[in-house]
Amino acid sequence: MRTRQRLIDRLRREGIRNEAVLEVMLNTPRHLFVGGGLEHRAYDNTPLPIGSEQTISQPYIVALMTELLLDDRECLDKILEIGTGCGYQSAILSQFAKRVYSVERIRTLQFEARRILKQLGCKNIAFMNGDGFNGWTTHQPYDGIIVTAAPREIPENLLKQLALGGRLVIPVGDAEQTLRIVTRTRTGFHEATHIAVRFVPMLQGRA
Ligand code: SAH
């Protein structure tokens, strides 16, 4: 628990302001999502490999994206997450939404994420093995959409599935990526660019 507290202190120092997000991260066991003998590094502020050439995101990025997605709202109705990966970000999001809909293209990762999240008692997450470029039309519109793999351009379908006043937080680019925040307004979309980031590429199709 001491290493977890140290990580949270560091995130606060690095500029994460939403105390509710920090509290949830303090209480979420990241080591359960990190396998392959890397558990001892679970509370380092670093991304780690999770197999299938994918990574668990850096804790700072998870905290930042959650904070940006919430935008001072305490709890969202519906969140769409693209890129379940190991499920760590899903676990955090599930505590800030009535329901989280999470899409992952690699079936083996999705299965493992599902198992851990069930073990943790996260009951408000629905999973789909599919291509995130399509979003998840059945449950749209979403108050928040978070993407944890980088496309070259913002996918049109995700914009379409955003509720009025809803926010999309997404890394965009190739070798050089930036985090973008898109808000749906009455007249269209408002886009802002945040920091430079580095995510695995968002790939077309299911695996
Ligand atoms: N959210 C994770 C990090 C995921 S890494 C965490 O909490 O740490 C990015 C994930 O996006 C990978 O698992 C990758 O398979 C997935 N991904 C990439 N392209 C995708 C697509 N088009 N649709 C759905 N998932 C995709």
Side-chain angles (χ1 to χ4, degrees):
M1 206 61 189
R2 216 178 299 150
T3 49
R4 262 197 235 184
Q5 184 61 58
R6 213 179 301 140
L7 171 65
I8 301 308
D9 293 343
R10 176 162 177 192
L11 298 182
R12 196 181 283 116
R13 273 203 310 281
E14 291 193 4
I16 303 301
R17 299 220 170 78
N18 189 321
E19 284 297 325
V21 171
L22 291 171
E23 175 79 26
V24 163
M25 287 187 64
L26 180 66
N27 294 321
T28 304
R30 190 172 184 253
H31 63 275
L32 294 185
F33 296 89
V34 174
L38 289 169
E39 292 86 348
H40 64 288
R41 299 193 56 199
Y43 299 101
D44 291 355
N45 187 24
T46 177
L48 293 167
I50 54 167
S52 306
E53 291 170 40
Q54 304 303 322
T55 52
I56 178 170
S57 299
Q58 182 189 8
Y60 173 74
I61 291 295
V62 172
L64 178 69
M65 288 178 85
T66 309
E67 182 172 86
L68 291 170
L69 190 74
L70 288 171
D71 185 30
D72 290 333
R73 298 172 291 182
E74 267 172 37
C75 185
L76 307 190
D77 219 25
K78 290 190 272 182
I79 294 178
L80 174 66
E81 176 190 41
I82 307 298
T84 318
C86 64
Y88 177 66
Q89 173 87 68
S90 329
I92 306 294
L93 294 172
S94 74
Q95 297 178 67
F96 294 102
K98 287 206 186 118
R99 203 140 180 86
V100 175
Y101 298 91
S102 191
V103 181
E104 169 57 56
R105 63 184 288 276
I106 302 178
R107 192 182 282 274
T108 48
L109 286 179
Q110 193 213 337
F111 267 52
E112 181 62 7
R114 220 178 179 142
R115 188 184 67 76
I116 299 168
L117 290 164
K118 191 173 171 201
Q119 184 188 331
L120 280 178
C122 299
K123 296 203 177 91
N124 59 340
I125 309 174
F127 302 90
M128 180 170 74
N129 176 229
D131 183 351
F133 278 99
N134 303 324
W136 191 342
T137 47
T138 324
H139 308 287
Q140 61 159 323
Y142 301 96
D143 311 294
I145 302 180
I146 182 169
V147 184
T148 57
R152 289 178 183 216
E153 283 168 23
I154 296 177
E156 275 294 316
N157 287 325
L158 298 185
L159 292 175
K160 281 190 200 145
Q161 294 174 26
L162 207 52
L164 184 62
R167 271 196 153 192
L168 165 67
V169 178
I170 182 169
V172 181
D174 193 359
E176 294 193 356
Q177 304 169 5
T178 51
L179 198 58
R180 313 276 177 90
I181 302 146
V182 186
T183 311
R184 185 166 209 158
T185 65
R186 282 188 193 288
T187 48
F189 296 96
H190 174 268
E191 190 178 326
T193 300
H194 209 70
I195 58 168
V197 285
R198 191 157 189 88
F199 279 84
V200 295
M202 185 166 170
L203 302 172
Q204 301 269 354
R206 240 181 336 159

